[in-house]
């Protein structure tokens, strides 16, 4: 049997991902996190903070919740059901930074926590920042002609 | 001892498994084979500070228990063959360093139990050693951090993924005594049908199991129905289904009555959230030493083919786009 024939056999045998179910839970839980963010912003504004400060405090609060859930071994359980719903919001980013920090504590504070903390989030930062620079340049060029 | 056919090695004076033991973690203890294991450690860190040390503790306990059953002390062993999944085989090294015994570190990925048992049996049958240990271990947490992602990371496992078994299996092989006999061994060839998905190990390894089994049946002029049990190591439900199809295409029928897979047996895949089954060296190690060898001793099985499979890859080779060669070593066990 050659590799192509075998790949066909494998494709017919493997269990299929239930995309509809995954999309539903990602939408509900991811949407839920966004709703929580909006509630937080409204509460901070009701407490007398301006829009920008309320937005920043909302992010900080969501990160704090995510970090606490990660440390309590709960975030990965939520993510198992939520999928991209808990990965995409800022809570997912916080989890991606904190989980290796916890994991690699056994290799010491410098070479463990310090060096490994950004193993997952590192690429997000690199390409996130690179993309924002690129958009900045595009915006600058567009504004030259407007 | 002599060569039989192209690749099989017949041990005319069989090596005897005089003692065996399996030590596993809680999740494995809650699985269908939970009662078979010698010890189920509720604390998956086994009182150690790191996951790697914990894995070594599992291995250390398994060797001690197996030696106790064989009525020998670990330091009396002439040799220990052992390996695991951790870089530079530190699971075995640190689990065995206190014993002051000649040690051969192995890497056969998840095929290590068959590899260590085959080498131990050959060492005994050749007269190179009298009493030899064969062991292996894996730990879910040490494997995850080396091969995949941090434990607390909120990722989703693909449906074809397998769950690394936390556990260790150890066997003591001697030239005489009572116990299951290793009557022949067969070291497998690497087979690579270009599977690149590290989350589908069963698919990567199934062709190697087919190659080894076919070659064994050719060498020995036997067929599947000549055995009470054919047991592959950690192919999981996907790999097991693929192996059946591959063997069927070669003209051999593996029926559910006589064929099973350690990865499918150790967990209940419907309720234990383990993907398509167990994996890791400790999977076939603990199933063989905890369940199958004792059942051969008890007379449930008379003739068993134990074929542990391994995926010979690393995170580096996967990231560099290499495909995953599989390997399968076979040990024939008789009552």
């Amino acid at each position: 049997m050659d590799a192509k024939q075998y790949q066909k056999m494998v494709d017919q045998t493997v269990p299929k991902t239930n995309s509809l179910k995954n999309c539903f839970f990602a939408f509900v839980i991811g949407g839920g996190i966004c709703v929580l963010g909006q509630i937080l912003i409204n509460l901070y504004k009701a407490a007398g903070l301006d829009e920008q400060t309320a937005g920043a405090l909302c992010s900080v609060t969501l990160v704090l919740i995510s970090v606490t859930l990660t440390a309590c071994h709960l975030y990965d359980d939520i993510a198992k059901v939520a999928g991209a719903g808990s990965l995409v919001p800022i809570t997912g980013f916080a989890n991606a930074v904190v989980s290796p920090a916890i994991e690699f504590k056994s290799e010491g504070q410098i070479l463990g926590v310090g060096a490994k903390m950004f193993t997952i989030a590192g690429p997000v930062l690199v390409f996130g920042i690179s993309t924002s620079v690129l958009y900045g340049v595009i915006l600058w060029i567009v504004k030259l002609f407007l | 001892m002599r060569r039989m056919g192209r690749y099989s090695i017949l041990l005319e004076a069989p090596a005897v498994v005089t003692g065996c033991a399996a030590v596993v973690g809680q999740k494995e203890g809650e699985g269908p084979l939970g009662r078979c294991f010698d010890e189920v450690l509720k604390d998956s860190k086994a009182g150690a500070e790191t996951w790697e040390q914990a894995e070594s503790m599992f291995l250390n306990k398994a060797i001690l228990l197996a030696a106790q059953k064989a009525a020998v002390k670990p330091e009396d062993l002439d040799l220990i063959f052992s390996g695991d999944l951790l870089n530079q085989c530190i699971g075995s090294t640190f689990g065995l360093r206190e014993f002051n015994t000649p040690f051969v570190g192995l890497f056969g990925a998840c095929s290590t139990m068959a590899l260590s048992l085959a080498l131990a049996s050959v060492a005994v049958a050749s007269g190179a050693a009298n009493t030899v240990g064969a062991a292996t271990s894996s730990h879910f947490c040490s494997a995850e951090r080396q091969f995949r992602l941090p434990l607390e990371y909120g990722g989703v496992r693909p449906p074809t993924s397998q769950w690394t078994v936390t556990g260790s299996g150890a066997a003591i092989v001697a030239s005489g005594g009572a116990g299951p006999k290793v009557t022949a061994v067969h070291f497998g060839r690497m087979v690579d049908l270009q599977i690149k998905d590290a989350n589908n190990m069963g698919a990567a390894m199934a062709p190697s199991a087919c190659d080894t089994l076919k070659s064994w049946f050719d060498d020995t002029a036997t067929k599947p129905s000549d055995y009470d049990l054919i047991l592959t190591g950690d192919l999981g439900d996907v790999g097991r289904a693929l192996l059946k199809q591959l063997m069927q295409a070669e003209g051999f029928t593996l029926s559910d009555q006589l064929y099973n897979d350690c990865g499918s047996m150790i967990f209940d895949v419907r309720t234990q959230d383990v993907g398509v089954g167990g994996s890791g060296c400790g999977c076939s190690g603990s199933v063989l030493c905890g369940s199958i060898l004792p059942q051969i001793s008890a007379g449930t099985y008379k003739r068993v083919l134990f074929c542990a499979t391994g995926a010979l890859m690393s995170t580096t080779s996967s990231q560099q786009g290499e495909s995953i060669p599989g390997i399968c070593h076979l040990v024939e066990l008789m009552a």
Side-chain angles (χ1 to χ4, degrees):
Chain A
M1 181 170 294
D2 65 24
K4 262 191 185 167
Q5 285 172 307
Y6 184 59
Q7 187 60 53
K8 212 181 217 177
M9 187 193 274
V10 172
D11 292 340
Q12 284 164 355
T13 309
V14 294
K16 301 283 175 286
T17 306
N18 190 340
S19 298
L20 199 68
K21 185 180 139 206
N22 291 350
C23 286
F24 173 77
F25 282 113
F27 177 77
V28 170
I29 300 177
I33 295 170
C34 297
V35 170
L36 175 66
Q38 191 58 52
I39 292 170
L40 286 169
I41 289 176
N42 290 358
L43 284 176
Y44 286 131
K45 283 207 302 202
L49 297 173
D50 63 77
E51 179 101 34
Q52 209 178 355
T53 317
L57 264 180
C58 162
S59 298
V60 170
T61 312
L62 285 176
V63 166
L64 184 71
I65 292 170
S66 167
V67 167
T68 310
L69 288 173
T70 303
C72 297
H73 313 298
L74 291 171
Y75 198 85
D76 57 323
D77 293 332
I78 298 168
K80 228 182 267 173
V81 183
S86 61
L87 183 86
V88 175
I90 198 168
T91 49
F93 187 77
N95 167 259
V97 176
V98 173
S99 56
I102 296 170
E103 184 74 45
F104 293 99
K105 215 175 96 201
S106 54
E107 278 77 32
Q109 294 296 329
I110 308 291
L111 295 176
V113 176
K116 298 282 178 71
M117 190 186 267
F118 291 99
T119 46
I120 304 168
V124 181
L125 291 176
V126 169
F127 294 109
I129 293 167
S130 305
T131 312
S132 55
V133 168
L134 187 68
Y135 281 131
V137 171
I138 292 170
L139 186 68
W140 178 74
I141 293 169
V142 168
K143 276 190 171 172
L144 282 181
F145 298 100
L146 289 175
Chain B
M1 192 166 60
R2 68 175 169 84
R3 221 166 164 80
M4 179 173 49
R6 179 67 186 93
Y7 294 113
S8 304
I9 301 165
L10 177 72
L11 311 187
E12 283 157 321
V16 183
V17 181
T18 52
C20 59
V23 180
V24 299
Q26 187 170 8
K27 194 178 179 84
E28 292 70 20
E30 289 165 358
L33 301 179
R35 285 171 174 215
C36 304
F37 304 119
D38 297 81
E39 206 171 324
V40 177
L41 297 184
K42 290 228 162 65
D43 173 16
S44 52
K45 245 183 182 166
E49 282 180 17
T50 69
W51 298 119
E52 287 74 12
Q53 286 171 4
E55 182 173 337
S56 294
M57 295 284 282
F58 276 80
L59 183 85
N60 183 286
K61 277 178 189 287
I63 277 277
L64 280 172
L65 281 169
Q68 197 184 338
K69 287 190 193 174
V72 293
K73 290 182 188 146
E75 50 268 36
D76 295 335
L77 298 172
D78 299 330
L79 256 176
I80 298 182
F81 291 97
S82 182
D84 52 86
L85 294 175
L86 301 181
N87 291 337
Q88 288 79 43
C89 285
I90 55 168
S92 297
T93 315
F94 295 104
L96 301 172
R97 72 175 159 186
E98 70 178 65
F99 294 139
N100 195 27
T101 307
F103 162 63
V104 181
L106 304 175
F107 183 77
C110 307
S111 72
T112 307
M113 191 66 229
L115 181 61
S116 62
L117 185 58
L119 285 168
S121 304
V122 166
V124 165
S126 71
N130 293 317
T131 315
V132 181
T136 191
S137 66
S138 58
H139 195 301
F140 175 77
C141 301
S142 62
E144 283 297 301
R145 74 203 303 264
Q146 180 178 302
F147 289 100
R148 295 177 193 99
L149 291 159
L151 294 176
E152 301 308 327
Y153 178 66
V156 178
R157 300 164 69 86
T160 51
S161 66
Q162 289 172 251
W163 189 276
T164 307
V165 163
T166 298
S168 172
I172 306 298
V173 180
S175 47
K181 295 174 187 66
V182 178
T183 43
V185 302
H186 180 114
F187 295 104
R189 297 186 288 190
M190 283 187 278
V191 180
D192 189 345
L193 284 185
Q194 297 298 306
I195 296 295
K196 293 187 176 179
D197 182 2
N199 284 305
N200 194 358
M201 298 284 196
M205 298 187 291
S208 65
C210 174
D211 183 71
T212 296
L213 277 168
K214 183 183 177 301
S215 161
W216 166 264
F217 292 135
D218 288 347
D219 284 349
T220 56
T222 57
K223 53 189 185 305
S225 58
D226 293 332
Y227 302 87
D228 300 326
L229 175 69
I230 295 170
L231 186 69
T232 50
D234 74 359
L235 291 178
D237 284 357
V238 167
R240 187 171 63 140
L242 287 167
L243 178 63
K244 282 184 179 179
Q245 295 174 58
L246 289 168
M247 289 300 286
Q248 198 66 53
E250 295 291 345
F252 298 99
T253 303
L254 294 180
S255 68
D256 284 336
Q257 285 77 34
L258 70 88
Y259 168 59
N260 214 336
D261 180 80
C262 298
S264 301
M265 291 163 73
I266 194 163
F267 293 122
D268 184 338
V269 294
R270 287 163 305 154
T271 60
Q272 287 192 288
D273 190 23
V274 291
V276 291
S279 69
C281 308
C283 179
S284 55
S286 54
V287 172
L288 179 79
C289 298
S291 170
I292 306 303
L293 286 169
Q295 287 192 74
I296 297 173
S297 293
T300 313
Y301 300 121
K302 299 266 185 294
R303 196 180 186 192
V304 173
L305 289 182
F306 172 60
C307 324
T309 49
L312 301 176
M313 44 75 76
S314 77
T315 47
T316 308
S317 69
S318 277
Q319 284 167 4
Q320 291 176 350
E322 267 286 5
S323 56
I324 305 170
I327 198 155
C328 173
H329 302 298
L330 178 151
V331 177
E332 187 193 40
L333 296 154
M334 288 175 89

